[in-house]
């Protein structure tokens, strides 16, 4: 085990140092990631608790709600404590509940970024991520729009999301990409190649769906045995595995519940051994 594998923090883009367990703010909206949450005061309390407990990286997007997640973050946390990094995204639109449509045209990205700046009440977004690849728009055009926003001082760093290794390599030729956000968890390692490229190049890798939306709460085989050895819940083990998988992972588990948040946060204190990683598959 190397010291870096167990590092508690990660530095993104050379200047944003944050704890490696972040918070995903998609689940603080209404059902279908649409509209207001059933308990708005509860969502505000959760966000405040997240920051009180030392989490300093929150992931959101204009499309969560839409707008609701960003608005709640500002309502709960603005003026923001020093060092809190709020990462948002643009490039997906919301025709309705559970419905997502890519729009990574430069004009849309400019408009989306302006909307996020306003809702988050910031002058510059620390990490702005292209939410997806839009088959109708060349990646070069979308990335060029983000570079323009960066030059205009509206965004500090550029990240990308839902990319394969070739798309990541292409984006890296067009701009300084500091992070990748892809679906990845103990049961779904389809993006191993992308994670390996991020590890090689020192890019932060934000595994979304890190708990498979709670289904990893039902452990089996080696997973159950290792969890029991650490007196850990299955979701804690799923996060501990991600933290140990590479020094560049920054999991962003999402929840609407303070109890689940506290449970998940405790994963940062679990350090899996090489043998346990081998039993779980790396
Ligand atoms: N880039 C993208 O395309 C993309 C796509 C999806 C998500 N994301 C980001 O990734 C973040 C995480 O993804 P996700 O929310 O889809 O997946 P996730 O974190 O794997 O799962 C969240 C779900 O798991 C449940 N959960 C959380 N902690 C639990 C626990 N300790 N025990 C049992 N159930 C638990 C939550 O329900 P409760 O509310 O009941 O706790 C919630 O429904 C999102 O918030 C968002 O920021 C990005």
């Amino acid at each position: 085990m190397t010291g870096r594998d167990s590092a508690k923090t990660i530095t993104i883009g050379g200047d944003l140092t944050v704890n490696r367990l972040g918070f995903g703010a998609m689940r603080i909206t209404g059902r279908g990631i649409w509209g207001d949450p059933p308990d708005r005061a509860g969502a505000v309390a959760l966000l405040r608790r997240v920051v009180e407990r030392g989490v300093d990286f929150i992931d959101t997007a204009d499309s969560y709600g839409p707008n609701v997640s960003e608005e709640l973050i500002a309502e709960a946390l603005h003026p923001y404590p020093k060092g809190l990094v709020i990462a948002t995204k643009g490039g997906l639109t919301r025709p309705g509940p559970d419905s997502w449509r890519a729009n990574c045209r430069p004009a849309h990205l400019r408009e989306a970024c302006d909307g996020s700046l306003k809702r988050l009440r910031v002058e510059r977004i620390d990490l702005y991520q292209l939410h997806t690849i839009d088959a109708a728009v060349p990646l070069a055009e979308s990335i060029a729009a983000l570079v323009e926003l960066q030059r205009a001082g509206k965004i500090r760093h550029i990240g990308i999301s839902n990319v394969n290794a070739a798309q990541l390599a292409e984006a890296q030729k067009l701009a300084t990409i500091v992070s990748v956000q892809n679906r990845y968890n103990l049961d779904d390692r389809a993006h191993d190649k992308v994670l390996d490229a991020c590890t090689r190049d020192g890019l932060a890798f934000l595994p979304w769906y890190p708990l498979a939306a709670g289904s990893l709460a039902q452990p089996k085989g080696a997973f159950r045995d290792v969890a029991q050895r650490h007196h850990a819940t299955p979701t804690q083990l799923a996060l501990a595995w991600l933290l140990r998988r590479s020094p560049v992972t920054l999991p962003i588990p999402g929840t609407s519940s303070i109890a689940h948040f506290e449970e998940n946060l405790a994963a940062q204190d679990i350090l899996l051994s090489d043998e346990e990683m081998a039993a779980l598959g790396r």
Side-chain angles (χ1 to χ4, degrees):
M1 186 181 312
T2 68
R4 273 169 59 79
D5 283 324
S6 54
K8 297 270 188 202
T9 61
I10 181 169
T11 300
I12 307 170
D15 61 357
L16 300 175
T17 298
V18 294
N19 291 317
R20 279 184 64 210
L21 200 53
F23 180 77
M26 184 179 84
R27 305 270 176 184
I28 57 168
T29 63
R31 204 184 164 86
I33 321 301
W34 188 259
D36 277 333
D39 174 9
R40 198 178 170 91
V44 166
L46 169 63
L47 285 163
R48 292 187 177 147
R49 185 73 184 146
V50 163
V51 171
E52 267 167 30
R53 295 285 277 119
V55 171
D56 53 6
F57 184 94
I58 297 179
D59 179 72
T60 183
D62 62 346
S63 49
Y64 298 163
N67 303 341
V68 173
S69 174
E70 291 182 332
E71 285 166 358
L72 277 169
I73 289 169
E75 180 182 330
L77 302 174
H78 190 274
Y80 301 114
K82 198 170 173 323
L84 176 66
V85 172
I86 299 167
T88 192
K89 316 180 203 76
L92 271 183
T93 61
R94 301 299 309 281
D98 288 320
S99 170
W100 308 81
R101 190 173 299 157
N103 184 348
C104 296
R105 296 189 186 285
H108 174 74
L109 292 173
R110 285 192 288 272
E111 197 184 318
C113 181
D114 283 343
S116 291
L117 285 165
K118 202 165 157 198
R119 283 184 293 278
L120 290 170
R121 303 183 215 163
V122 292
E123 286 178 3
R124 186 170 64 163
I125 292 162
D126 280 335
L127 176 59
Y128 195 73
Q129 305 155 96
L130 184 67
H131 206 147
T132 192
I133 299 290
D134 181 345
V137 183
L139 180 58
E141 284 184 22
S142 307
I143 297 288
L146 299 191
V147 170
E148 241 180 67
L149 290 168
Q150 194 174 37
R151 289 200 182 121
K154 294 184 177 184
I155 67 184
R156 189 164 177 175
H157 292 298
I158 299 171
I160 52 179
S161 179
N162 298 310
V163 292
N164 61 34
Q167 289 160 338
L168 168 60
E170 183 186 348
Q172 285 180 292
K173 286 187 192 134
L174 301 164
T176 302
I177 305 296
V178 303
S179 67
V180 175
Q181 184 173 147
N182 275 8
R183 179 174 163 148
Y184 192 83
N185 61 51
L186 246 172
D187 270 355
D188 177 356
R189 307 180 193 186
H191 287 298
D192 262 334
K193 264 193 184 167
V194 178
L195 171 52
D196 290 344
C198 289
T199 307
R200 181 195 65 212
D201 295 345
L203 274 55
F205 182 87
L206 284 58
W208 68 259
Y209 212 53
L211 307 171
S215 69
L216 284 172
Q218 310 300 326
K220 30 187 194 302
F223 182 27
R224 191 189 46 228
D225 299 343
V226 178
Q228 280 173 354
R229 205 174 306 144
H230 283 270
H231 306 289
T233 66
T235 60
Q236 288 168 341
L237 186 72
L239 294 171
W241 178 82
L242 283 169
L243 289 168
R244 184 67 219 288
R245 169 65 183 81
S246 157
V248 302
T249 54
L250 198 181
I252 45 171
T255 180
S256 55
S257 133
I258 289 185
H260 281 166
F261 161 69
E262 298 282 0
E263 176 186 336
N264 299 342
L265 186 67
Q268 65 188 358
D269 298 322
I270 300 168
L271 184 56
L272 300 180
S273 67
D274 289 342
E275 295 70 29
E276 288 167 335
M277 287 303 282
L280 295 169
R282 311 222 237 192

Short mmCIF file of all heavy atoms in Angstrom, two decimals, residues 107-141:
data_model
loop_
_atom_site.label_atom_id
_atom_site.label_comp_id
_atom_site.label_asym_id
_atom_site.label_seq_id
_atom_site.Cartn_x
_atom_site.Cartn_y
_atom_site.Cartn_z
N ALA A 107 -23.67 27.96 -27.72
CA ALA A 107 -24.59 29.01 -27.24
C ALA A 107 -25.32 28.53 -25.98
O ALA A 107 -25.51 29.29 -25.03
CB ALA A 107 -25.60 29.36 -28.34
N HIS A 108 -25.72 27.25 -25.97
CA HIS A 108 -26.40 26.72 -24.79
C HIS A 108 -25.46 26.67 -23.59
O HIS A 108 -25.86 27.01 -22.47
CB HIS A 108 -26.99 25.33 -25.05
CG HIS A 108 -27.56 24.73 -23.80
ND1 HIS A 108 -28.75 25.17 -23.26
CD2 HIS A 108 -27.05 23.81 -22.95
CE1 HIS A 108 -28.95 24.52 -22.12
NE2 HIS A 108 -27.95 23.69 -21.91
N LEU A 109 -24.22 26.26 -23.81
CA LEU A 109 -23.27 26.17 -22.69
C LEU A 109 -23.01 27.54 -22.08
O LEU A 109 -22.92 27.69 -20.86
CB LEU A 109 -21.97 25.51 -23.15
CG LEU A 109 -22.07 24.02 -23.51
CD1 LEU A 109 -20.76 23.52 -24.11
CD2 LEU A 109 -22.46 23.17 -22.29
N ARG A 110 -22.93 28.56 -22.95
CA ARG A 110 -22.71 29.94 -22.43
C ARG A 110 -23.88 30.36 -21.55
O ARG A 110 -23.71 30.89 -20.45
CB ARG A 110 -22.52 30.92 -23.59
CG ARG A 110 -21.16 30.81 -24.26
CD ARG A 110 -20.89 31.98 -25.20
NE ARG A 110 -21.69 31.92 -26.42
CZ ARG A 110 -21.31 31.29 -27.53
NH1 ARG A 110 -20.16 30.65 -27.58
NH2 ARG A 110 -22.09 31.28 -28.59
N GLU A 111 -25.07 30.07 -22.05
CA GLU A 111 -26.29 30.44 -21.32
C GLU A 111 -26.39 29.64 -20.01
O GLU A 111 -26.73 30.17 -18.95
CB GLU A 111 -27.47 30.11 -22.23
CG GLU A 111 -28.78 30.76 -21.86
CD GLU A 111 -29.87 30.25 -22.80
OE1 GLU A 111 -29.61 30.13 -24.02
OE2 GLU A 111 -30.95 29.93 -22.30
N ALA A 112 -26.07 28.34 -20.09
CA ALA A 112 -26.15 27.48 -18.91
C ALA A 112 -25.18 27.95 -17.84
O ALA A 112 -25.51 28.00 -16.65
CB ALA A 112 -25.84 26.03 -19.31
N CYS A 113 -23.98 28.32 -18.26
CA CYS A 113 -22.97 28.76 -17.29
C CYS A 113 -23.42 30.06 -16.62
O CYS A 113 -23.31 30.20 -15.39
CB CYS A 113 -21.63 28.95 -18.02
SG CYS A 113 -20.32 29.47 -16.90
N ASP A 114 -23.96 30.98 -17.41
CA ASP A 114 -24.46 32.24 -16.82
C ASP A 114 -25.55 31.95 -15.79
O ASP A 114 -25.60 32.56 -14.72
CB ASP A 114 -24.98 33.18 -17.90
CG ASP A 114 -23.84 33.88 -18.65
OD1 ASP A 114 -22.70 33.87 -18.13
OD2 ASP A 114 -24.08 34.40 -19.76
N GLY A 115 -26.41 31.00 -16.11
CA GLY A 115 -27.49 30.64 -15.18
C GLY A 115 -26.93 30.06 -13.88
O GLY A 115 -27.37 30.40 -12.78
N SER A 116 -25.92 29.20 -14.00
CA SER A 116 -25.33 28.59 -12.80
C SER A 116 -24.62 29.64 -11.95
O SER A 116 -24.72 29.62 -10.71
CB SER A 116 -24.34 27.48 -13.20
OG SER A 116 -25.04 26.39 -13.76
N LEU A 117 -23.91 30.56 -12.59
CA LEU A 117 -23.23 31.64 -11.84
C LEU A 117 -24.25 32.42 -11.01
O LEU A 117 -24.01 32.72 -9.83
CB LEU A 117 -22.54 32.61 -12.81
CG LEU A 117 -21.24 32.11 -13.46
CD1 LEU A 117 -20.88 32.98 -14.66
CD2 LEU A 117 -20.10 32.11 -12.45
N LYS A 118 -25.37 32.71 -11.63
CA LYS A 118 -26.40 33.50 -10.96
C LYS A 118 -27.03 32.72 -9.80
O LYS A 118 -27.16 33.22 -8.69
CB LYS A 118 -27.48 33.85 -12.00
CG LYS A 118 -28.30 35.03 -11.66
CD LYS A 118 -29.06 35.49 -12.89
CE LYS A 118 -30.25 36.27 -12.40
NZ LYS A 118 -31.27 36.41 -13.42
N ARG A 119 -27.42 31.47 -10.08
CA ARG A 119 -28.08 30.67 -9.03
C ARG A 119 -27.14 30.37 -7.87
O ARG A 119 -27.54 30.39 -6.71
CB ARG A 119 -28.63 29.35 -9.62
CG ARG A 119 -29.90 29.52 -10.40
CD ARG A 119 -30.43 28.17 -10.86
NE ARG A 119 -29.56 27.53 -11.82
CZ ARG A 119 -29.53 27.79 -13.12
NH1 ARG A 119 -30.37 28.68 -13.62
NH2 ARG A 119 -28.69 27.18 -13.93
N LEU A 120 -25.88 30.10 -8.19
CA LEU A 120 -24.92 29.77 -7.12
C LEU A 120 -24.39 31.04 -6.44
O LEU A 120 -23.70 30.96 -5.42
CB LEU A 120 -23.74 28.95 -7.68
CG LEU A 120 -24.08 27.52 -8.10
CD1 LEU A 120 -22.91 26.89 -8.86
CD2 LEU A 120 -24.42 26.66 -6.88
N ARG A 121 -24.69 32.19 -7.02
CA ARG A 121 -24.26 33.50 -6.49
C ARG A 121 -22.75 33.59 -6.38
O ARG A 121 -22.20 33.97 -5.34
CB ARG A 121 -24.92 33.77 -5.13
CG ARG A 121 -26.43 33.72 -5.16
CD ARG A 121 -27.00 34.08 -3.80
NE ARG A 121 -28.21 33.33 -3.52
CZ ARG A 121 -28.74 33.18 -2.32
NH1 ARG A 121 -28.19 33.75 -1.27
NH2 ARG A 121 -29.86 32.49 -2.15
N VAL A 122 -22.07 33.19 -7.46
CA VAL A 122 -20.61 33.31 -7.49
C VAL A 122 -20.20 34.05 -8.76
O VAL A 122 -20.95 34.13 -9.73
CB VAL A 122 -19.91 31.92 -7.46
CG1 VAL A 122 -20.10 31.24 -6.12
CG2 VAL A 122 -20.39 31.01 -8.59
N GLU A 123 -19.00 34.59 -8.73
CA GLU A 123 -18.48 35.27 -9.91
C GLU A 123 -17.71 34.32 -10.80
O GLU A 123 -17.52 34.56 -11.98
CB GLU A 123 -17.57 36.43 -9.49
CG GLU A 123 -18.42 37.57 -8.95
CD GLU A 123 -17.62 38.75 -8.47
OE1 GLU A 123 -16.37 38.73 -8.59
OE2 GLU A 123 -18.26 39.67 -7.95
N ARG A 124 -17.24 33.23 -10.19
CA ARG A 124 -16.50 32.23 -10.96
C ARG A 124 -16.80 30.85 -10.39
O ARG A 124 -16.84 30.67 -9.17
CB ARG A 124 -15.00 32.52 -10.88
CG ARG A 124 -14.17 31.63 -11.76
CD ARG A 124 -12.74 32.07 -11.85
NE ARG A 124 -12.06 32.00 -10.58
CZ ARG A 124 -10.73 32.03 -10.42
NH1 ARG A 124 -9.96 32.16 -11.48
NH2 ARG A 124 -10.19 31.95 -9.25
N ILE A 125 -17.00 29.90 -11.29
CA ILE A 125 -17.26 28.52 -10.86
C ILE A 125 -15.93 27.77 -10.82
O ILE A 125 -15.18 27.76 -11.81
CB ILE A 125 -18.27 27.85 -11.84
CG1 ILE A 125 -19.64 28.52 -11.70
CG2 ILE A 125 -18.35 26.36 -11.59
CD1 ILE A 125 -20.59 28.28 -12.84
N ASP A 126 -15.63 27.16 -9.67
CA ASP A 126 -14.32 26.50 -9.50
C ASP A 126 -14.09 25.36 -10.48
O ASP A 126 -13.01 25.19 -11.02
CB ASP A 126 -14.20 25.95 -8.06
CG ASP A 126 -13.82 27.03 -7.07
OD1 ASP A 126 -13.21 28.04 -7.48
OD2 ASP A 126 -14.15 26.87 -5.88
N LEU A 127 -15.14 24.54 -10.65
CA LEU A 127 -15.01 23.39 -11.57
C LEU A 127 -16.31 23.31 -12.38
O LEU A 127 -17.38 23.04 -11.82
CB LEU A 127 -14.78 22.09 -10.78
CG LEU A 127 -14.73 20.81 -11.63
CD1 LEU A 127 -13.61 20.86 -12.67
CD2 LEU A 127 -14.54 19.58 -10.73
N TYR A 128 -16.20 23.54 -13.68
CA TYR A 128 -17.37 23.48 -14.56
C TYR A 128 -17.19 22.28 -15.48
O TYR A 128 -16.20 22.18 -16.20
CB TYR A 128 -17.51 24.77 -15.37
CG TYR A 128 -18.87 24.90 -16.00
CD1 TYR A 128 -19.99 25.20 -15.23
CD2 TYR A 128 -19.06 24.71 -17.38
CE1 TYR A 128 -21.26 25.31 -15.81
CE2 TYR A 128 -20.32 24.82 -17.95
CZ TYR A 128 -21.41 25.13 -17.15
OH TYR A 128 -22.67 25.24 -17.72
N GLN A 129 -18.18 21.38 -15.43
CA GLN A 129 -18.04 20.12 -16.16
C GLN A 129 -19.01 20.04 -17.34
O GLN A 129 -20.19 20.36 -17.20
CB GLN A 129 -18.30 18.94 -15.20
CG GLN A 129 -17.43 18.96 -13.95
CD GLN A 129 -18.09 18.20 -12.79
OE1 GLN A 129 -17.80 17.03 -12.56
NE2 GLN A 129 -18.97 18.86 -12.04
N LEU A 130 -18.48 19.59 -18.47
CA LEU A 130 -19.35 19.28 -19.60
C LEU A 130 -20.08 18.00 -19.21
O LEU A 130 -19.45 16.96 -19.01
CB LEU A 130 -18.50 19.06 -20.86
CG LEU A 130 -19.27 18.82 -22.15
CD1 LEU A 130 -20.04 20.08 -22.57
CD2 LEU A 130 -18.32 18.40 -23.27
N HIS A 131 -21.43 18.08 -19.08
CA HIS A 131 -22.18 17.00 -18.44
C HIS A 131 -22.17 15.71 -19.26
O HIS A 131 -22.26 14.62 -18.72
CB HIS A 131 -23.63 17.47 -18.22
CG HIS A 131 -24.32 16.79 -17.09
ND1 HIS A 131 -25.25 17.40 -16.30
CD2 HIS A 131 -24.22 15.53 -16.59
CE1 HIS A 131 -25.69 16.56 -15.38
NE2 HIS A 131 -25.09 15.41 -15.54
N THR A 132 -22.09 15.86 -20.58
CA THR A 132 -22.16 14.67 -21.42
C THR A 132 -21.57 14.98 -22.79
O THR A 132 -21.18 16.11 -23.07
CB THR A 132 -23.64 14.21 -21.55
OG1 THR A 132 -23.68 12.91 -22.14
CG2 THR A 132 -24.46 15.17 -22.40
N ILE A 133 -21.55 13.96 -23.62
CA ILE A 133 -21.16 14.16 -25.01
C ILE A 133 -22.44 14.26 -25.82
O ILE A 133 -23.34 13.43 -25.66
CB ILE A 133 -20.31 12.96 -25.51
CG1 ILE A 133 -19.02 12.83 -24.69
CG2 ILE A 133 -20.02 13.08 -27.00
CD1 ILE A 133 -17.99 13.91 -24.90
N ASP A 134 -22.54 15.27 -26.64
CA ASP A 134 -23.73 15.48 -27.48
C ASP A 134 -23.39 14.99 -28.88
O ASP A 134 -22.54 15.58 -29.56
CB ASP A 134 -24.06 16.99 -27.45
CG ASP A 134 -25.30 17.32 -28.26
OD1 ASP A 134 -25.74 16.47 -29.07
OD2 ASP A 134 -25.82 18.43 -28.08
N ALA A 135 -24.05 13.92 -29.31
CA ALA A 135 -23.73 13.32 -30.61
C ALA A 135 -23.93 14.32 -31.75
O ALA A 135 -23.36 14.17 -32.84
CB ALA A 135 -24.61 12.09 -30.83
N ALA A 136 -24.74 15.35 -31.51
CA ALA A 136 -25.03 16.31 -32.58
C ALA A 136 -24.01 17.45 -32.63
O ALA A 136 -24.08 18.31 -33.52
CB ALA A 136 -26.43 16.89 -32.37
N VAL A 137 -23.08 17.49 -31.68
CA VAL A 137 -22.14 18.61 -31.61
C VAL A 137 -20.71 18.07 -31.48
O VAL A 137 -20.44 17.29 -30.56
CB VAL A 137 -22.46 19.52 -30.38
CG1 VAL A 137 -21.53 20.72 -30.34
CG2 VAL A 137 -23.91 19.95 -30.39
N PRO A 138 -19.80 18.47 -32.37
CA PRO A 138 -18.42 17.99 -32.21
C PRO A 138 -17.88 18.38 -30.83
O PRO A 138 -18.09 19.51 -30.38
CB PRO A 138 -17.66 18.72 -33.32
CG PRO A 138 -18.70 19.14 -34.30
CD PRO A 138 -19.97 19.35 -33.52
N LEU A 139 -17.16 17.45 -30.21
CA LEU A 139 -16.61 17.71 -28.87
C LEU A 139 -15.75 18.97 -28.89
O LEU A 139 -15.76 19.77 -27.94
CB LEU A 139 -15.79 16.48 -28.42
CG LEU A 139 -15.13 16.57 -27.04
CD1 LEU A 139 -16.14 16.81 -25.93
CD2 LEU A 139 -14.34 15.29 -26.75
N ALA A 140 -15.01 19.17 -29.99
CA ALA A 140 -14.12 20.33 -30.08
C ALA A 140 -14.90 21.64 -29.91
O ALA A 140 -14.41 22.60 -29.29
CB ALA A 140 -13.39 20.32 -31.42
N GLU A 141 -16.11 21.69 -30.44
CA GLU A 141 -16.91 22.93 -30.32
C GLU A 141 -17.34 23.16 -28.88
O GLU A 141 -17.33 24.29 -28.39
CB GLU A 141 -18.16 22.84 -31.22
CG GLU A 141 -17.85 23.05 -32.68
CD GLU A 141 -19.10 23.06 -33.56
OE1 GLU A 141 -20.21 23.33 -33.04
OE2 GLU A 141 -18.95 22.77 -34.76
#
